Amino acid sequence: MLAPPWIPVPPSGYGGVESVVSVLTEALVDRGHAVTLLCAPGSRSGARVLALLDESHPDEIERSLYESDHVSRAFAEIDRGTPEFDIVHDHCGFTALAMADRLDVPLVHTLHGPFTTATATFYAHHGHKAGLVGISRAQWASAPPGLEPVDVIANPIETDAWPLREHKADYLLWIGRMVAEKGPHRAIAAALGAGVPLVLAGVIQPGQQAFFDSEVAPHIDGDRVRFVGEVTGFVKRSLFAGARALLVPIRWEEPFGMVMVEALACGTPVIAFPEGAAHELVVDATTGFLVNDVPAMSAAVDRLSQIAPRECRAWVAAHCDADVVAAAYERAYRSVAAVCGARDFARV
Ligand code: UDP
């Protein structure tokens, strides 16, 4: 399991890819596989852990200096062949996929981000070197022509680790990165329109301060709109579980949206704009509501009593639970490993 070099696995706070890697790795170990986790220092796992660089790089995400160093050390470990690997599962951005035809071990690459003009060109050129896995059908809709995934597999969650709460407190929740696409400012408008207090939680990453200062901070009054910063662990889970609903007023082709799954696991309905994978994660009128704009989001708050918390959790357990996802990845690994090596994979 080749994790990125940026953040330890599991992440202590923000870290979407690292959280997926962690949950999937533990599920594969539980299912009896011998897994080596190649990752950033500070990582913990039931798998054999091999940290490759001297430090993690949370503030230098996507810097090729660190990604290429990390991946080249990983390839040296894989080539050493002790133990001999059957499959490499890469979550690492771009370097490992671009060089996958240099490995003798076949590689499965999960695409965690959206296809943009630049990444579509990259995948059109290098995608044939590995078995590709998408994380939603919405994500794959923007793939370059002819590029086929081995499968589309949801991101996993350890459902039982999230508390189901059926009687909610009186607040709505928005949680995520402080960027316009994720819509914290639209969540504020929707909550004010509904007359229900809003809790905002999240990280302000480098480059996001100006947006936060102009669009979010002026509305924080500690009462109708509260900002609690980055949340982790028990506090985060309690915040998800207590909310009447998670607001997801996204305006971009969100390739997955882990926060929606986390809310549903706690029996918390999701009110989302119908963009990207929201179509696949929110079953309208069953696990929440898909609404087109801010006034409709406010209006949907009045209909939340129609949603049963237990149905939200049952949907997540059936579609995204770690064991379900690990079984799907086992099938993907087998179909890719059936081709004897990555060099051969690149030729077929
Ligand atoms: N997250 C967190 N603390 C925060 C804000 C976010 O742990 O204060 C986590 C959140 O629980 C989720 C991830 O960060 O697991 C965000 O993933 P998502 O797919 O929703 O969005 P991305 O930022 O990857 O587009």
Side-chain angles (χ1 to χ4, degrees):
M1 193 68 68
L2 178 50
W6 319 122
I7 296 171
V9 176
S12 58
Y14 178 78
V17 175
E18 290 76 8
S19 156
V20 167
V21 170
S22 174
V23 174
L24 178 60
T25 301
E26 300 317 307
L28 290 167
V29 170
D30 286 349
R31 292 169 70 87
H33 298 282
V35 184
T36 296
L37 176 63
L38 301 156
C39 52
S43 299
R44 287 177 290 108
S45 172
R48 170 176 167 248
V49 175
L50 264 187
L52 299 171
L53 302 184
D54 294 336
E55 338 172 67
S56 57
H57 293 276
D59 297 325
E60 287 132 332
I61 289 180
E62 291 196 348
R63 275 202 63 190
S64 61
L65 172 67
Y66 301 111
E67 186 174 300
S68 56
D69 191 357
H70 175 80
V71 168
S72 130
R73 293 178 197 221
F75 275 29
E77 284 299 331
I78 295 160
D79 282 346
R80 202 185 332 269
T82 41
E84 195 179 322
F85 295 109
D86 297 314
I87 197 97
V88 176
H89 187 172
D90 165 45
H91 301 266
C92 224
F94 304 104
T95 312
L97 177 61
M99 307 301 283
D101 51 349
R102 310 280 148 173
L103 280 181
D104 286 323
V105 183
L107 188 134
V108 168
H109 169 93
T110 298
L111 282 86
H112 288 283
F115 283 104
T116 61
T117 309
T119 64
T121 305
F122 173 89
Y123 281 105
H125 199 77
H126 298 289
H128 65 286
K129 295 176 182 174
L132 302 179
V133 173
I135 54 175
S136 66
R137 293 190 302 278
Q139 176 200 42
W140 215 270
S142 324
L147 193 72
E148 291 297 334
V150 174
D151 201 354
V152 170
I153 304 177
N155 281 340
I157 187 164
E158 201 191 339
T159 316
D160 288 344
W162 295 77
L164 171 68
R165 180 166 161 186
E166 298 196 68
H167 301 288
K168 304 296 188 183
D170 190 26
Y171 67 89
L172 299 164
L173 176 65
W174 177 94
I175 174 167
R177 287 181 284 129
M178 283 294 165
V179 291
E181 303 92 272
K182 296 273 188 182
H185 51 325
R186 289 184 288 271
I188 292 170
L192 291 174
V196 178
L198 177 71
V199 176
L200 294 153
V203 264
I204 305 173
Q205 292 172 325
Q208 296 169 0
Q209 192 67 47
F211 170 78
F212 179 79
D213 290 345
S214 67
E215 301 294 329
V216 179
H219 303 284
I220 297 170
D221 62 5
D223 177 22
R224 289 181 311 166
V225 180
R226 284 194 292 140
F227 176 56
V228 296
E230 184 175 13
V231 288
T232 62
F234 177 77
V235 171
K236 176 168 96 170
R237 287 163 199 225
S238 304
L239 203 54
F240 269 112
R244 284 177 62 187
L246 176 75
L247 302 185
V248 186
I250 42 172
R251 282 285 181 239
W252 71 307
E253 281 295 311
E254 173 109 33
F256 193 75
M258 205 56 213
V259 293
M260 293 188 253
V261 171
E262 291 165 349
L264 295 174
C266 299
T268 299
V270 177
I271 310 176
F273 285 3
E275 305 257 10
H279 281 289
E280 291 157 59
L281 299 177
V282 179
V283 184
D284 193 43
T286 301
T287 63
F289 299 105
L290 291 168
V291 296
N292 286 320
D293 53 25
V294 166
M297 184 165 268
S298 303
V301 172
D302 280 339
R303 294 188 280 139
L304 284 169
S305 59
Q306 297 171 19
I307 308 292
R310 278 183 186 276
E311 280 212 47
C312 298
R313 188 177 176 92
W315 189 90
V316 162
H319 294 90
C320 306
D321 187 69
D323 208 46
V324 173
V325 170
Y329 268 111
E330 282 172 1
R331 290 190 289 276
Y333 299 154
R334 286 210 174 89
S335 73
V336 173
V339 186
C340 58
R343 284 202 183 93
D344 298 315
F345 200 88
R347 274 188 223 117
V348 292

